[in-house]
Amino acid sequence: MSSLLTGVTVKAQTASMLTEHSGATYLLNLIDTPGHVDFAWEVLRSLTACQGALLLVDASQGVQAQTLSVYHAAKDRGVKIIPVVNKIDLPAADPERIIAQMSATLDIDPSEVIRVSAKAGIGISNVLQAIIDRIPPPDAQREEKLKALLFDSSYDRYRGVISLFSLQDGQLKKGTWLLPQEYWGYEPGGNAGCNTVGYVACNMKQSSEAHIGDTFYRMGEPVEPLGGFKQSKAMVYAGVFPVDSNDFPKLEESIARLTLTDRSVSVQRESSAALGQGCRLGFLGTLHMDVFRQRLEDEYDANVIITSPSVPYEILYRGGKLKHVSNPVDFPDPHEHTVIEVREPMVKATIIVPDEYLGDMMDLVSSHRGNDIEHKYLDTGSTAARAMLTSTLPLSEIVTDFFDKLKQRSSGFASFDYEDAGYMQSDLYKMMLQLNGKPIDALAMVVHKSNVQKVGRIWTKKLKEVIPRQLFEVAIQATIGSKVQARETISAIRKDVTAGLYGGHYERKLKHLERQKESKKKMKKVGNIELPQEAFYDILRAKQGD
C-alpha cells in the first residue's frame, strides 16, 4: 500500500519465491517493510516473524537515522543481519566510503557487505545465495503441538479477514479448529506443513478480531504463547469532521471501511459545538495521518476538515488517579487544584546530517525544547564528514512543522528518526480561542508555558485574516483560564448615517451617530458570530507555528 501522492510505502508486503542453490530448491518467504519512522511498528512486527534481515544502505547517501534504529531493533531480537549496499551504479555512488561508514557506525565486517544494483541487476544472485548460506532455517518440530504466529492480516470483501501466519511447530490442516479465536479455520491452498508461512481464512468479519502477535493453536491442545510482540500505539490524534454536517453517516462508514485495511488507526466518536459530529482518530504519526486523509478524499470522495494534531498526555490527580487525555478540550484548566502533575510524551530523536549543517540542527533542536543534546562524527577521515545528533524532544514539538524545518535548514540532506522515551513532567496549559467571549472548542490546543504568548498571537492573527467583518466589533482572544494572552480586533462595518443630511446644526449629525453607536452595542450583545466552514478549513490547513 502506498501513498498516491508521495509513493511512500506504508504497509509491509509479503512474498514467497523458489530459488535454486547447489542443486537444491529453497523456498524463501520475504517481507518488504516501510522505511519511514511513522511505520516502525510494521518493521518491528515483521522482524519478530523472521530469522534474518537484509539491511539496505544507499551507496550515494550512506547510513541514515532509520538505518540505525532498524539495525539495533534487529540485533536486539537476535535476527541475522546481511548488510547490502544498493544503487552502486549511480554516478554519485561511493561504495567503499559507505562500507567504511557502516563498519565504523554499525560494527559490521566489511567483507560481509554485498554490493548490488537492483536496477541494473548486479549482485542479486549473491544476495539470494547469502540468504541461504547465512540465515538459519526456522527451528521447528513437526511432531510438536500446533503453534502458529499471526504476524499480519488483510481484509477481503468476500472472505473477511485473511490472517498471515508463520507455522512454528506442528501441522495445519483444512478443517482445524483454531484458538484463541474460535472460528472454523481453513487454509485455501490445502495443508500447511512445519516451517511454513501461509494465510488462513477464519470467517472473521472485523480486522480487530485478528490480533497481531496472537498464537494460533489447535482446540484442546494449548501451548505457551509466542512472545516479542507489542501492540501498535497511537502517537498522534486528530479530529475528522465533514465539511457538510449532513455527510457524517457517510464519513463514518468510509472510515470504518478504511480501518479494515489499516488496523493501526484508532477510532472514537467526537462531537464539536463548532463542527458538529465527527470522529477522533489516532495515528502512528503525521505522515500516517496525511495518507489516511488522502485515501478518504481519493477513494471515498470525502470532503473533510482535520483539526490540528495533538498527542496523548498523562494527568495525575490527587489520590493517585492517572488519566490519559488525547483531546485538548478535555485537558484540565489551570484553576483545577486536584491536578498534581501534567506529563507529556517524549521521544529520543536521532538526526544524521552533513557536518556543515550541524550548527543549524542544534539550533533547531534547542528551539523545540530539546534536552540532552549530544553529537558525534560518523566518518571523520572523509572529506564529506557527517555527524549524528541525538536529543530528547517532546513529541508535541515534532508533530507540527519540525520535519519541514529540518529538511529546509539542511537543504534536504538530513535524515530523522525517533523512538518512544516515555513521559516527563512539563508546564502545559490549555489555550482556548474565543470570539466575543465565546470559546471555539475545535481550535483548543495544549501549549508549553514558554510558548504561550507566541502561539496566542499567531492564532489570533490567523483568525483575523479568515473571519469576515460584521456590523459590530469582533474581539478575538487567546485565553488560558480567565487570563487573556493575545487579542486581535476586527473593526465593525460602518455605514455613513450622516450622508443624507444637508446643513443644519452639528448636533443633528451627532444625534444620528450616537443612535448608530447604541444600535451597534445592542447588536454586539445579541449578535452571534459563526465561524464559516471555509474559515475552519483555511486555518486548520496551516500548522501551528507557521
Side-chain angles (χ1 to χ4, degrees):
M1 184 190 303
S2 299
S3 166
L4 300 180
L5 284 179
T6 61
V8 178
T9 302
V10 300
K11 182 169 173 51
Q13 300 292 321
T14 58
S16 297
M17 64 175 292
L18 296 172
T19 183
E20 300 287 339
H21 179 62
S22 301
T25 302
Y26 292 85
L27 172 64
L28 305 182
N29 297 300
L30 310 173
I31 304 177
D32 177 28
T33 59
H36 196 275
V37 60
D38 280 7
F39 308 104
W41 180 69
E42 295 279 335
V43 179
L44 296 180
R45 66 175 178 79
S46 299
L47 287 173
T48 308
C50 295
Q51 288 74 42
L54 297 176
L55 187 67
L56 293 176
V57 178
D58 194 310
S60 61
Q61 298 183 7
V63 175
Q64 304 289 296
Q66 294 89 340
T67 311
L68 291 173
S69 63
V70 173
Y71 171 79
H72 290 298
K75 197 172 182 180
D76 292 343
R77 284 163 174 74
V79 174
K80 176 62 180 178
I81 299 172
I82 300 177
V84 179
V85 174
N86 192 20
K87 302 182 182 179
I88 61 173
D89 60 320
L90 293 179
D94 190 355
E96 297 302 328
R97 180 178 66 85
I98 301 305
I99 291 174
Q101 187 184 97
M102 295 171 65
S103 177
T105 308
L106 307 175
D107 195 22
I108 289 176
D109 186 354
S111 62
E112 294 185 353
V113 181
I114 304 174
R115 298 169 174 82
V116 302
S117 170
K119 180 180 179 181
I122 302 172
I124 303 302
S125 59
N126 295 335
V127 174
L128 296 176
Q129 181 177 341
I131 292 175
I132 296 171
D133 293 339
R134 302 185 195 179
I135 298 177
D139 183 18
Q141 303 295 326
R142 183 183 296 268
E143 294 77 16
E144 294 291 330
K145 296 179 181 179
L146 172 65
K147 182 188 292 186
L149 175 67
L150 194 161
F151 65 91
D152 198 2
S153 67
S154 59
Y155 185 81
D156 183 272
R157 60 184 302 181
Y158 298 108
R159 293 187 291 179
V161 179
I162 305 297
S163 302
L164 273 67
F165 67 90
S166 173
L167 195 57
Q168 305 291 320
D169 291 317
Q171 300 181 67
L172 179 61
K173 299 180 180 180
K174 183 176 181 179
T176 301
W177 281 91
L178 296 178
L179 292 177
Q181 290 89 0
E182 294 188 16
Y183 297 94
W184 182 255
Y186 66 91
E187 201 279 320
N191 301 331
C194 196
N195 296 346
T196 302
V197 172
Y199 61 94
V200 58
C202 293
N203 204 25
M204 300 181 191
K205 302 302 182 184
Q206 300 290 334
S207 294
S208 57
E209 298 178 54
H211 299 282
I212 301 298
D214 274 353
T215 302
F216 280 161
Y217 62 92
R218 186 176 286 108
M219 179 181 281
E221 299 180 3
V223 295
E224 286 294 323
L226 297 165
F229 259 95
K230 292 183 179 179
Q231 292 294 326
S232 63
K233 182 173 66 172
M235 303 288 281
V236 175
Y237 291 85
V240 180
F241 298 88
V243 172
D244 185 353
S245 57
N246 294 325
D247 292 337
F248 172 70
K250 179 183 176 183
L251 174 63
E252 189 175 34
E253 182 181 356
S254 302
I255 292 174
R257 289 182 180 181
L258 274 184
T259 52
L260 290 175
T261 57
D262 192 351
R263 56 182 300 114
S264 56
V265 178
S266 62
V267 184
Q268 186 177 2
R269 271 198 177 190
E270 183 180 31
S271 179
S272 166
L275 298 175
Q277 285 287 332
C279 295
R280 188 145 196 95
L281 306 183
F283 303 96
L284 300 176
T286 51
L287 176 64
H288 188 204
M289 180 181 72
D290 290 339
V291 171
F292 193 88
R293 174 195 55 78
Q294 179 184 313
R295 292 187 63 196
L296 269 178
E297 294 175 352
D298 293 346
E299 298 178 22
Y300 296 96
D301 198 24
N303 195 6
V304 297
I305 296 173
I306 297 186
T307 62
S308 298
S310 62
V311 299
Y313 299 95
E314 284 186 351
I315 313 297
L316 180 62
Y317 292 90
R318 296 186 186 275
K321 179 184 176 183
L322 188 66
K323 181 180 178 181
H324 287 81
V325 174
S326 61
N327 191 339
V329 176
D330 301 328
F331 199 85
D333 292 320
H335 56 75
E336 289 193 28
H337 303 295
T338 56
V339 177
I340 298 177
E341 189 176 80
V342 176
R343 303 168 186 163
E344 66 177 333
M346 307 295 290
V347 295
K348 184 179 179 181
T350 302
I351 301 173
I352 296 181
V353 67
D355 179 39
E356 59 265 31
Y357 299 107
L358 179 60
D360 289 331
M361 293 299 101
M362 296 183 73
D363 180 63
L364 176 65
V365 172
S366 299
S367 64
H368 284 75
R369 299 194 284 129
N371 298 315
D372 304 327
I373 302 175
E374 298 178 356
H375 73 278
K376 68 177 182 178
Y377 292 94
L378 300 180
D379 34 11
T380 54
S382 171
T383 56
R386 296 197 307 161
M388 182 174 70
L389 179 71
T390 58
S391 175
T392 303
L393 282 164
L395 178 61
S396 58
E397 293 289 333
I398 65 175
V399 300
T400 51
D401 58 350
F402 182 83
F403 191 74
D404 294 336
K405 290 181 178 178
L406 180 86
K407 290 298 183 181
Q408 182 181 2
R409 292 200 184 188
S410 66
S411 301
F413 288 108
S415 62
F416 175 68
D417 190 84
Y418 64 85
E419 59 184 21
D420 188 13
Y423 283 81
M424 183 179 294
Q425 190 275 334
S426 186
D427 294 325
L428 300 170
Y429 299 98
K430 177 173 72 173
M431 177 176 286
M432 296 294 295
L433 293 172
Q434 299 183 358
L435 296 180
N436 281 351
K438 296 181 180 179
I440 311 171
D441 57 351
L443 297 181
M445 64 192 77
V446 178
V447 296
H448 190 260
K449 183 179 180 180
S450 60
N451 294 329
V452 164
Q453 291 191 358
K454 177 185 174 184
V455 174
R457 291 192 189 102
I458 289 173
W459 281 89
T460 51
K461 287 180 180 178
K462 285 182 180 180
L463 277 174
K464 185 178 180 180
E465 293 174 358
V466 299
I467 294 177
R469 292 179 66 188
Q470 307 291 324
L471 291 173
F472 50 90
E473 185 182 88
V474 178
I476 305 171
Q477 296 173 317
T479 63
I480 292 180
S482 58
K483 187 174 181 181
V484 178
Q485 304 295 327
R487 173 180 171 132
E488 292 285 341
T489 303
I490 302 177
S491 59
I493 300 175
R494 183 177 179 274
K495 181 181 178 181
D496 189 1
V497 293
T498 62
L501 300 179
Y502 301 98
H505 198 265
Y506 79 95
E507 289 184 352
R508 187 181 176 200
K509 292 184 178 182
L510 191 61
K511 181 180 178 182
H512 282 269
L513 292 174
E514 287 295 330
R515 189 180 299 168
Q516 183 189 46
K517 185 178 179 180
E518 292 298 324
S519 298
K520 286 188 178 293
K521 280 185 180 180
K522 184 177 179 182
M523 190 180 295
K524 187 175 181 179
K525 290 180 181 179
V526 301
N528 204 9
I529 302 294
E530 290 188 1
L531 195 60
Q533 297 284 13
E534 294 77 11
F536 266 111
Y537 185 79
D538 290 339
I539 198 169
L540 292 175
R541 188 172 50 184
K543 296 179 180 178
Q544 177 179 334
D546 283 353

